[in-house]
Amino acid sequence: MNKTIGLASDHAGYPLKEQVKEWLKEKGYEFVDFGTNSTESCNYPEFAHALANAMEKGELTRGIAICGTGNGINMTLNHHDAIRSALCWMPEIAELARQHNDANVMVMPGRFIQADLAKECVEKFLDTPFEGGRHQARIDAIPVKR
Ligand code: RB5
């Protein structure tokens, strides 16, 4: 895995995103922050698309994104073919998002998660490998066939 993590948030996710940066540094990761850069009200799709576009170009392999509930930014990210974004609010879900879903983006609900749990989610997301096997066929079947 690339040791540079893409970050995105809206205003509601900005404070937790700043904490995530510190945790990434502690674990020896670098990051690229696609914004937003303050708690001033903004629209989450702009920052979600910026992160997803960079991942689709192959510039980054993993991302962490945060909005208030996690839902809006997660919905936006999952419109991109190359993204499997998982909404995580407890470490076990983050771990399973990697083991079973091979999630390449983890989303957290900035307004509804305590810092200690968010930190554990980040650690699980970064440290847990994909199990493959039966889960590979399942994620292969996710894209809509038109
Ligand atoms: C912002 O108020 C809020 O709607 C946004 O952060 C997010 O929760 C949307 O899904």
Side-chain angles (χ1 to χ4, degrees):
M1 185 202 8
N2 187 325
K3 292 278 273 188
T4 303
I5 306 297
L7 300 176
S9 78
D10 70 355
H11 54 287
Y14 172 77
L16 179 55
K17 186 177 65 178
E18 294 305 291
Q19 288 189 281
V20 167
K21 289 178 183 176
E22 297 307 313
W23 302 331
L24 290 175
K25 284 187 221 164
E26 283 172 19
K27 285 180 70 68
Y29 283 80
E30 297 184 344
F31 53 81
V32 178
D33 186 354
F34 293 91
T36 189
N37 300 312
S38 76
T39 55
E40 185 179 339
S41 183
C42 63
N43 298 328
Y44 54 78
E46 175 183 347
F47 311 101
H49 288 310
L51 168 61
N53 288 338
M55 291 180 67
E56 287 191 322
K57 283 188 222 159
E59 294 168 9
L60 297 161
T61 57
R62 291 277 188 98
I64 296 173
I66 308 163
C67 67
T69 60
N71 277 321
I73 210 161
N74 195 46
M75 289 176 187
T76 310
L77 287 158
N78 278 317
H79 273 269
H80 289 257
D81 288 344
I83 304 298
R84 280 186 304 281
S85 177
L87 178 54
C88 299
W89 62 95
M90 52 198 291
E92 292 83 354
I93 293 176
E95 186 171 34
L96 287 164
R98 288 288 314 131
Q99 288 175 339
H100 289 192
N101 310 116
D102 197 18
N104 55 7
V105 180
M106 179 176 71
V107 166
M108 294 187 289
R111 286 178 172 157
F112 298 94
I113 188 168
Q114 298 299 315
D116 57 341
L117 285 179
K119 186 175 185 185
E120 282 187 62
C121 285
V122 169
E123 288 167 354
K124 293 292 188 189
F125 177 64
L126 296 176
D127 295 343
T128 306
F130 177 48
E131 280 182 3
R134 68 189 188 281
H135 302 294
Q136 184 64 57
R138 293 168 186 172
I139 64 170
D140 287 344
I142 290 173
V144 176
K145 295 180 176 53
R146 298 183 197 280

